Amino acid sequence: MGQESYQLSVRYKDFEYAVSGDRSFVDEHDKVVQAYLAKMMKEDLKTGSGRQGKISSTFEIEKKTQTAPKPLPQTNNAEKPDIQKFLENLPLNAEWQFTLAMAYYLSHYKQQSSFTAKMVRKQFREARHTVPNNIHLSVHTCVKKGYLQESGHQDLQKIYEVTESGYAYIETLLSHASSGEDQTNVEAASQDISEFNLDNNPDPRMLERVEDQALSILYIYMKEFDRPHMSAKDVYDVLKKHFATDYSAKAIQIALSRSRPLVEKIKHEGQMHYQLTVKGIDHMETLLSNQL
């Protein structure tokens, strides 16, 4: 008997979402999508485009029996980019992002629809890229975010596949690169403010000092997105886009520079980045306790 798999499919106006996996995996996405749909419908009610009354469910979870992995689109070997050039075209920062990129390369270009963490580690070495200290943790982070999913076992090792969300994530980054946009800021500024989890993180809107506002962005991205360091430009873009601050990019850079010893400077891919120190993390958590 095949492994049971569940599929969640949603369509509301221009919004479409689909994911498949085991029951617990799909249930997690179910909660996220319901919250998102409720927010969209609430906005429709405010503008008068929706009907008054209770918001009804617009989707359902379907159970399937998983047999063989779905076939991947065939890719001409002549079109397969060199792995190093492929990585250069992606604005990647966190270890989990590089792990997802390696998995995408295995699946899309090498036509390996399923793989183990060991295979992903081997792909890092073939790319001559630093292997994460804990490849299993990086893979698990991708699973938690819905970009990879478990699909069975092979020689007592878990097998994974790239989900539709995982393909979409990497292809979105590739599209930004091909359109000539500034790659260093795509990931930082593309988050939805609801993902910042401001109930459990310092809220920049409640902090008076520009230094603390800048440090709060470093803290949120470290905690919520596994991104241990950011450039001053990244921090500026997030504050401007999501919190409507009117500081200049130079003001944010100065604020971060004078925040030492709460931050330390590190060089990342030719750019100066800032990373919270232990004292900086303690400072942010003190501000958070005051906020609560």
Side-chain angles (χ1 to χ4, degrees):
M1 183 176 177
Q3 180 183 359
E4 285 189 343
S5 176
Y6 295 81
Q7 183 173 17
L8 172 66
S9 180
V10 185
R11 175 176 291 181
Y12 178 74
K13 294 189 174 180
D14 295 330
F15 173 71
E16 293 186 16
Y17 190 89
V19 68
S20 61
D22 61 29
R23 183 74 203 203
S24 61
F25 174 80
V26 173
D27 280 344
E28 286 301 312
H29 283 262
D30 178 20
K31 295 174 186 175
V32 174
V33 174
Q34 286 209 46
Y36 189 72
L37 281 173
K39 182 179 178 182
M40 292 175 64
M41 293 178 180
K42 186 176 180 181
E43 290 299 318
D44 285 346
L45 291 175
K46 284 182 180 179
T47 58
S49 59
R51 295 180 298 175
Q52 298 294 325
K54 183 179 178 181
I55 297 173
S56 60
S57 174
T58 60
F59 57 93
E60 59 185 14
I61 297 175
E62 175 187 356
K63 182 171 75 174
K64 293 185 176 181
T65 299
Q66 196 174 46
T67 52
K70 60 183 179 182
L72 293 168
Q74 294 299 311
T75 304
N76 189 327
N77 287 333
E79 298 175 356
K80 182 172 71 174
D82 174 80
I83 179 63
Q84 292 176 328
K85 290 184 178 180
F86 170 71
L87 294 175
E88 287 173 2
N89 286 330
L90 293 170
L92 307 175
N93 295 281
E95 286 185 343
W96 70 264
Q97 290 178 306
F98 281 100
T99 297
L100 178 61
M102 298 297 179
Y104 177 95
Y105 191 86
L106 279 171
S107 182
H108 185 67
Y109 292 112
K110 289 191 170 182
Q111 297 293 295
Q112 192 146 356
S113 61
S114 58
F115 42 82
T116 64
K118 185 177 179 180
M119 294 175 186
V120 177
R121 183 193 291 120
K122 182 180 178 182
Q123 187 61 62
F124 269 95
R125 289 175 177 151
E126 287 183 8
R128 297 180 182 178
H129 195 283
T130 304
V131 181
N133 292 328
N134 189 335
I135 187 65
H136 294 283
L137 178 60
S138 294
V139 169
H140 177 71
T141 301
C142 292
V143 171
K144 186 178 177 182
K145 292 178 178 291
Y147 299 143
L148 296 180
Q149 67 180 11
E150 295 181 19
S151 60
H153 289 79
Q154 175 181 308
D155 298 330
L156 301 180
Q157 297 184 64
K158 291 181 178 178
I159 299 174
Y160 302 92
E161 294 178 352
V162 182
T163 65
E164 292 183 10
S165 297
Y167 281 113
Y169 182 87
I170 294 297
E171 286 164 5
T172 298
L173 298 184
L174 287 170
S175 68
H176 281 293
S178 64
S179 65
E181 293 186 25
D182 185 355
Q183 298 179 23
T184 60
N185 303 312
V186 172
E187 171 67 15
S190 64
Q191 306 295 339
D192 188 286
I193 192 168
S194 64
E195 298 177 12
F196 293 161
N197 195 13
L198 295 178
D199 289 336
N200 297 307
N201 287 308
D203 188 338
R205 296 168 297 189
M206 299 178 67
L207 302 174
E208 295 182 2
R209 299 172 63 242
V210 59
E211 292 89 343
D212 289 338
Q213 292 179 13
L215 294 179
S216 71
I217 300 303
L218 293 180
Y219 182 85
I220 291 170
Y221 272 76
M222 176 195 70
K223 185 177 175 184
E224 299 297 329
F225 308 118
D226 302 315
R227 184 169 177 174
H229 50 78
M230 299 174 69
S231 69
K233 181 67 165 58
D234 288 341
V235 174
Y236 163 77
D237 285 341
V238 173
L239 284 171
K240 182 177 180 181
K241 177 177 179 180
H242 297 292
F243 300 100
T245 58
D246 55 4
Y247 307 119
S248 66
K250 186 66 175 177
I252 297 300
Q253 182 181 7
I254 293 173
L256 287 168
S257 295
R258 67 188 181 198
S259 292
R260 289 179 290 181
L262 302 181
V263 294
E264 59 183 353
K265 291 182 178 180
I266 64 170
K267 199 162 187 179
H268 177 72
E269 297 181 352
Q271 277 191 316
M272 192 62 67
H273 279 218
Y274 295 86
Q275 178 173 288
L276 286 172
T277 62
V278 174
K279 288 184 178 179
I281 294 172
D282 289 342
H283 176 66
M284 284 292 101
E285 290 177 349
T286 298
L287 292 179
L288 175 59
S289 64
N290 293 336
Q291 174 181 310
L292 299 175

